[in-house]
Amino acid sequence: MLKISNLSKSFFVSKQEVNVLSNINLMIKNNETVALKGPSGSGKTTLLNLISGIDSVSSGKITFENYDITSMNESSLSKFRRDHLGIIFQFFNLIDDLSVMENVMLPLSLTELELDKKVYLAEKVLKSLELHHKADIRTNLLSGGESQRVAIARALVTRPRLIIADEPTGNLDKNNTDTTIHLLLQSCKENQTSLVMVSHDETLMKRFDNVYELNSGRII
Ligand SMILES: Nc1ncnc2c1ncn2[C@@H]1O[C@H](COP(=O)(O)OP(=O)(O)O)[C@@H](O)[C@H]1O
Ligand SMILES: [Mg+2]
């Protein structure tokens, strides 16, 4: 379970303190899917960066199960991300010189699994995202929707406990958005993975277990 308590975050811009998140309290249960909405600049990306430990809080606490994300050092944080977290970005961040299969297997290269097992896990996740037939294609030949599904497969392949996704359908048309979100939510439920997804798209909200709205750095 992810627990965010009394979280605040400020940035310093030319020595001026700019408060971006104020007193955020949020609990996300195991296997729960959560959408985070709010206007541009309301602090959504900042909140995700704090959850993943990419950025550090100004005050407050974030825990995930037994891990206190807000007090871990850089090397524990990278291990935590590798072992428990999947991250999906708006711009897919795939490696174009590699095939779909190779992109999806990348996070497994950091594990000590046998090659057979890595291939098995990658094939399984490609199947669940309806990408199996594209396994050997280089990712620069894919459509936007397919590329984002590869990025999702890459985030899911390590079977993380939590996925965070920042506007993952921001670049997709409606059809691709619907398919992508359907497959993402279905895969999270199958793998018992929690999901925190930032989205502007009101039509997607009803598919999530819970929706939270940020406005001027506060949950409303
Ligand atoms: N590294 C930073 N330094 C200074 N200000 C930042 C930094 N990152 C984000 N901000 C500011 O914090 C606010 C929230 O940004 P962000 O979390 O990206 O919003 P959202 O994702 O909801 O659009 C914005 O006003 C943005 O300019
Ligand atoms: Mg953002």
Side-chain angles (χ1 to χ4, degrees):
M1 182 197 299
L2 179 74
K3 193 171 172 201
I4 301 177
S5 324
N6 301 321
L7 173 77
S8 295
K9 173 70 180 174
S10 300
F11 291 107
F12 284 86
V13 182
S14 44
K15 292 186 187 159
Q16 288 284 94
E17 182 170 359
V18 183
N19 182 245
V20 173
L21 294 171
S22 307
N23 198 32
I24 305 283
N25 290 288
L26 203 61
M27 210 128 79
I28 296 167
K29 295 195 286 277
N30 290 342
N31 209 13
E32 184 178 354
T33 58
V34 164
L36 186 62
K37 64 176 186 173
S40 180
S42 57
K44 304 180 299 295
T45 297
T46 303
L47 183 57
L48 293 191
N49 288 342
L50 297 174
I51 294 172
S52 62
I54 290 169
D55 206 349
S56 57
V57 304
S58 300
S59 63
K61 193 166 169 174
I62 306 176
T63 57
F64 183 75
E65 278 150 29
N66 297 327
Y67 298 91
D68 179 352
I69 295 167
T70 37
S71 74
M72 272 154 44
N73 63 23
E74 220 22 78
S75 76
S76 317
L77 277 171
S78 25
K79 189 171 177 326
F80 168 76
R81 281 193 288 268
R82 186 192 72 196
D83 294 343
H84 302 295
L85 207 64
I87 304 182
I88 304 166
F89 303 95
Q90 180 173 358
F91 303 99
F92 327 118
N93 293 356
L94 301 175
I95 299 178
D96 283 341
D97 290 339
L98 299 182
S99 70
V100 167
M101 182 74 173
E102 287 165 337
N103 267 279
V104 172
M105 284 181 69
L106 268 183
L108 296 174
S109 63
L110 301 167
T111 68
E112 281 163 16
L113 296 172
E114 301 281 334
L115 182 63
D116 288 3
K117 178 76 177 172
K118 291 179 185 176
V119 171
Y120 167 79
L121 289 172
E123 283 180 342
K124 190 159 173 260
V125 75
L126 284 175
K127 259 186 210 135
S128 70
L129 287 156
E130 296 173 5
L131 282 166
H132 201 53
H133 58 299
K134 303 272 179 179
D136 298 327
I137 290 180
R138 275 169 42 166
T139 52
N140 57 351
L141 300 173
L142 299 176
S143 71
E146 287 165 346
S147 299
Q148 191 53 294
R149 272 149 53 207
V150 176
I152 292 171
R154 186 182 54 184
L156 279 164
V157 74
T158 57
R159 296 176 295 182
R161 304 294 316 279
L162 173 67
I163 290 211
I164 58 179
D166 199 352
E167 304 192 45
T169 59
N171 278 313
L172 306 183
D173 62 28
K174 188 174 176 327
N175 271 343
N176 273 310
T177 294
D178 285 349
T179 314
T180 303
I181 294 302
H182 170 73
L183 293 171
L184 173 60
L185 289 171
Q186 181 176 289
S187 304
C188 284
K189 289 295 177 192
E190 271 168 17
N191 291 307
Q192 297 181 324
T193 298
S194 309
L195 171 69
V196 186
M197 188 184 115
V198 166
S199 178
H200 286 297
D201 191 338
E202 281 296 329
T203 61
L204 299 178
M205 298 296 151
K206 58 180 180 300
R207 306 219 209 152
F208 288 77
D209 297 329
N210 252 316
V211 180
Y212 296 102
E213 182 168 2
L214 265 180
N215 202 316
S216 305
R218 292 176 185 276
I219 301 266
I220 56 170

